[in-house]
Amino acid sequence: MATLSIGGRQVSGAGEFEVLNPATGQAAGSAPECSRAQLDEAVDAAARAFVAWKRDEPARRAALEQCSDLIKANAETLARLITLEQGKPLAKATREVMGAAAWFRYTASLTIPTEVARDDAQMRIEVRRRPIGVVGAITPWNYPVILAAWKIAPALRAGNTVVLKPSPFTPLATLKLGEILQSALPAGVLNVVCGGDELGKAITSHPGIRKISFTGSTCAGKHVAQSAAADLRRITLELGGNDAAIVLDDVDPASIAPKIFWAAFDNTGQICAAIKRVYAHERVFPDLVGELARIARSVRVGDGMFPETEMGPLSNAPQLERVVELVEDARRNGGEIVTGGARIESPGYFFAPTIVTGLGSHVRLVAEEQFGPALPCMSYSDVDEAIALANDSPFGLSGSIWSADTQRAVELAPQLECGTVWINQHMTIVPDAPISGLKSSGIGVENGPWGLLAMTEMQTVEIPR
Ligand code: NAD
């Protein structure tokens, strides 16, 4: 039975709720429902633990290294829970868990410098960094373990303590992660609670929490910002995206198609920074679409527990319904379904990998974040027009430019209105590079030294000579 981690103890919830396996539509397990009183206990425990934790820098580094080892040692258990509740193929779930271990190890290696703003005959001015206090971390259902690691590791490294809430669709792996990490951490340093959006709201408005680190939809992110504003709580928001891939006229379609395909369809398209729109020059467009469709038809879709599976189901019924609705809307608005376009007959939430052409920029499949295995591909004749279309979006998470001439692509990069631009690749996410969304894709930054500093506040110390 899954348990909450509160104050260093494994406890049952005030109630329970069922978690479904998206490959079968059947129960995957049950999760504890955290009451408001239990949330208060978790925040109190985190506040008490903060007093000693913030002072012991060497212990924090060692503890994070131990967390990394514990995650690796329990990789199989965690990966199986991810596949069971989220749906991705087991090999990819294992990669997610190993990624989380790598993030902890990398973050353990970082140090927080004291900078010197001035050091002269009159005065020395030091700019130091302090931990913020109790961090409320809220995660979505697409990458439950690694996205939790992106929050826990820098928060703890900087000297904060954490109350973490996973998505109610995928709580089981995160609850297990919380349980596993307790042996590396003093009681109360990491608390994992569990429940729906209402519990998320209770976290974002909790007076004992000083910072919210949130990953999820733009709609919920705006609510989080409003709630946090009431008490000037600090926020980092990693929100939705509608990444464009801009393909120039000089590429070899056959060689780039597999990279573009998997950057769009990995995790069944449910990645914030997946390719969600392709703009290809008219000279290469027909061949590129042909290659993408060929790959789409060859993908083995199935239960992530089967070793031959390359793509799992959508993670939950509402997300499947959304993808069905967007593809139907595209069809009604003149889209040509090159391949796919329908559910796969099964009790699970499967949808065939889908390539759509012929869509205008205001059709929902192009304009909104589909977060599923349906990729709209558009042809252009002038690269300035393609960049304008890519930028004509409320989102600004990331994007990519593809060309046989790397320099040509690099020169276009500053024109894209997004936080990360990849050249001849997409979604190569590493622990030492920052992720930050422009426009409605977020506020603040995660990863690298920048993400670590985002878990601190500045303090200036001025010392007269
Ligand atoms: P969601 O916003 O519905 O839920 C995310 C989390 O927030 C869940 O734990 C949920 O219970 C909680 N929540 C919902 N409403 C809340 C509120 N008002 N106050 C506090 N907490 C609340 O998102 P989702 O459907 O779980 O995830 C998919 C979304 O996440 C997509 O838009 C995707 O692009 C985004 N995402 C972004 C990144 C990134 O790094 N930018 C990474 C992964 C996913």
Side-chain angles (χ1 to χ4, degrees), residues 42-51 134 161 188 208:
V43 176
D44 285 350
R48 281 196 304 276
F50 179 61
V51 177
V134 180
T161 53

Side-chain angles (χ1 to χ4, degrees), residues 255-288:
S255 75
I256 65 164
K259 289 186 195 163
I260 291 196
F261 182 86
W262 284 111
F265 289 85
D266 197 11
N267 207 32
T268 320
Q270 303 164 117
I271 308 183
C272 54
I275 294 177
K276 300 196 174 114
R277 304 174 279 163
V278 172
Y279 295 98
H281 190 272
E282 58 193 4
R283 198 178 302 152
V284 295
F285 180 78
D287 287 351
L288 181 65

Side-chain angles (χ1 to χ4, degrees), residues 138-142 147 150 165-168 196-197 200-201 204 214-217 220 223-224 238-241 272 369 371 397:
I138 300 177
T139 50
W141 45 258
N142 59 337
L147 293 178
W150 288 17
K165 186 196 91 67
S167 164
D197 300 353
K201 289 178 192 166
T204 62
F214 175 87
T215 301
S217 61
H223 289 296
V224 171
E238 293 287 356
L239 308 178
C272 54
E369 179 183 44
F371 223 58
L397 190 57

Side-chain angles (χ1 to χ4, degrees), residues 380-391:
Y380 72 85
S381 55
D382 170 28
V383 72
D384 291 339
E385 169 204 339
I387 286 176
L389 288 168
N391 289 339

